[in-house]
Amino acid sequence: MSATEFFQNVVNALQWGSFYALIALGYSMVYGVLLLFNFAHGDIFMVGAYIGFFVATAFLALFASGVGIITLPSWAILVLVILATMFLTSFVGMAVERIGYRPLRHAPRASAAITGLMIGIIFETSILAMFGAQRMKFPELLPGLASASQPTFGGVIISWQKILIVGVALVLMLLLQWFVSNTKWGMAMRAMAFDFAAVPLMGVPLNRIAALTFALGSALAGAAAVLYSMAYPVLDPYMGITVGWKAFVAAILGGRGSIKGAALAGFLLGFIEIFAATVFPSTYRDLIAYSIILIILVFRPHGMFGEEHTARLRL
Amino acid sequence: MLLSVRNLHVSYGHIKALQGIDFDVDEGEIICIIGANGAGKSTTLRAISRLVPVQKGDILFEGKSILHVPPEKVVSELGISHVPEGRRIFGNLTVKENLTLATYARKDKENIKRDLEYMFSVFPRLEERLNQKAGTLSGGEQQMLAVARAFMTARRVMILDEPSMGLAPLLMLEMFKALEEINREGTTILLVEQNARMALKFAQRGYVLETGKIVLQGPSQELLDNPDVKKAYLGG
């Protein structure tokens, strides 16, 4: 592998890692705060992509130059599409929590896990029923970006799009980290991760914090969905499955509830996958990537940044 | 009456933890419930905090039933704050964050500041350790934090589950003196204790709980002098 090729792969890995990291954060936060694997999260990502599709189509019709009522620059449309998709997808997550998980708060954990898988199937089949099996093409949000002259760095082409995707992902992760460290809601989330049962004694409404946790995780999945669809602009009802499972692996690898862990593990997974595919035949990619992760977990069973403390569920 | 419990029944499955208990706490009092392990002391406090379902009977706060009030509102709206058994401080949060979280539902910024300063005067150790992770505190400091945290909610009544547990005798005395001071400042206190002698020394009135029933009640001095109490709870 030449140096140029190597750095090219680093750039690709950062982009892949951004998707994994953003989705992994949703798994990790919900697992951290509520001790629950939200197995519907990959499909919330998928629904987010469809929401993004409609939001993007609508906003382009409203604001794009030449067709819109008010003309906005395309970067502003992109920002609006990301924000609106995050906002709408957060309601999908809150609905999943309210309808699917809250009634099962004290049920065996397996019931909640199965519920998550079922909600995922319901999302997939609903989208299939509504839009058919035909794949949909995600509209181009930044026309001209691909044909513009791309920045190169020592012969490595770093596309604007990749810079944008990695940049937006990093900004969102930093915002989340700030929120969880500095606001009272973030404080309540961390307290729940440590001792779930003691939190109501502080006058904190558990249900509202649970809903907020789902909303934040799903909003990030919505952002990931728009970014993913910009890079791979084909939507189908099953697009959340593989990427969702891999992000789940990243969340476990990062450690329960650790934002830093989920983000780093997402990027690490991106790197391992991309480099496994360049060194070995690409059919070996997942075999190698997940063998490596299995080995890491054998030595660090609580994940890279996980703590041994398990939250207490009863008083 | 600030807090009244009437014919309270609580069961866990087939086990009857409380079989119709009655007691009253008046504004400004320090009341203790003493009893052996498994007598139903913690269950009584959990029922007041609405953490366990009530089979029969009622819990009244200022004359109104609180059975329909969710646990977080028992704290934020009624002002009944609970110091649970085993402290249950948030070890992954700093001391400051633990105290701030307790003010989650409070809007009265000025009073919060005053309350915090008051807590630092009662427990100066907490101010020294303000930015330390609560999990790194000693047992005694953790108990101080648990009490201070309960104080920082919108408390009117503080209910404490074995505040002396695991404390060395000297620390235990300090803890009770702090509670007495908090009481003087205007917070009503209901505590359950295995350490009957210490609890009765600080409380005005006491109740003796035995296998889910109140078997004796009266002013603390009377209970301290009662031969049955002496024999069963004060070591002869």
Side-chain angles (χ1 to χ4, degrees), chain A residues 33-97:
Chain A
V33 173
L34 294 158
L35 279 187
L36 172 90
F37 292 127
N38 173 20
F39 285 133
H41 192 58
D43 290 300
I44 292 176
F45 162 80
M46 178 275 292
V47 173
Y50 278 82
I51 290 173
F53 170 85
F54 288 105
V55 170
T57 308
F59 282 12
L60 284 172
L62 287 172
F63 306 124
S65 71
V67 287
I69 313 156
I70 316 157
T71 302
L72 290 177
S74 46
W75 65 263
I77 298 176
L78 171 68
V79 170
L80 286 178
V81 168
I82 292 176
L83 292 178
T85 306
M86 288 175 75
F87 181 72
L88 293 172
T89 312
S90 73
F91 284 94
V92 178
M94 285 192 280
V96 167
E97 191 272 333

Side-chain angles (χ1 to χ4, degrees), chain A residues 262-279:
Chain A
L264 285 176
F267 283 113
L268 180 67
L269 192 56
F271 273 82
I272 296 177
E273 279 195 11
I274 296 280
F275 280 93
T278 54
V279 179

